[in-house]
Amino acid sequence: QVQLVESGGGLVQAGGSLRLSCAASGRTFSSYAAGWFRQAPGKEREFVALISGSSIYKNYADSVKGRFTISRVNAKNTVSLQMNSLNSADTAVYYCAAGLDAGVRYSDYVNGAMDYWGKGTLVTVSS
């Protein structure tokens, strides 16, 4: 069982930056791939970024490539999302998620088939 708690959301002006953090419980966090997803008002949840347990593999949605960076520190059981050059389209509730990083297809995780989810943190970008 993994529990995930997001933090770092808030209100930011367009063009600004925010850093989201996700704190995970458990001793074997390095065994889990982790990802960030978001859901804007009136829209379906969408993939943002994914990182493997070892940090070797990273994947980003086209809409955030070059602006967002996912990273993790397994010794601290944390996953972060650095968001730069924010615009109004980035306004959403951001969710941290995790799934075992063993014998899985990362494409399944990109599609949202993660095992554990946080409750989300709201990011609002004002124009």
Side-chain angles (χ1 to χ4, degrees):
Q1 189 78 7
V2 176
Q3 293 183 329
L4 304 169
V5 179
E6 304 94 337
S7 62
L11 176 65
V12 62
Q13 288 188 334
S17 299
L18 273 178
R19 186 177 181 87
L20 304 183
S21 293
C22 174
S25 63
R27 300 179 181 179
T28 59
F29 186 55
S30 59
S31 300
Y32 291 83
W36 288 93
F37 295 77
R38 67 187 182 185
Q39 186 167 19
K43 295 187 177 181
E44 293 187 353
R45 185 180 64 197
E46 65 175 2
F47 166 74
V48 175
L50 179 71
I51 187 169
S52 64
S54 64
S55 300
I56 292 177
Y57 174 86
K58 296 180 183 180
N59 192 4
Y60 296 92
D62 288 341
S63 59
V64 307
K65 279 181 182 176
R67 300 189 299 122
F68 290 12
T69 302
I70 190 170
S71 61
R72 65 190 296 162
V73 180
N74 286 335
K76 295 184 177 181
N77 280 12
T78 59
V79 178
S80 298
L81 185 69
Q82 177 66 41
M83 306 186 295
N84 299 327
S85 301
L86 288 161
N87 58 62
S88 58
D90 297 316
T91 293
V93 177
Y94 283 72
Y95 298 92
C96 178
L100 275 174
D101 192 2
V104 298
R105 295 185 303 181
Y106 290 132
S107 57
D108 289 340
Y109 284 164
V110 168
N111 289 329
M114 304 290 264
D115 299 311
Y116 304 100
W117 293 83
K119 294 183 178 180
T121 185
L122 176 63
V123 173
T124 303
V125 183
S126 63
S127 56

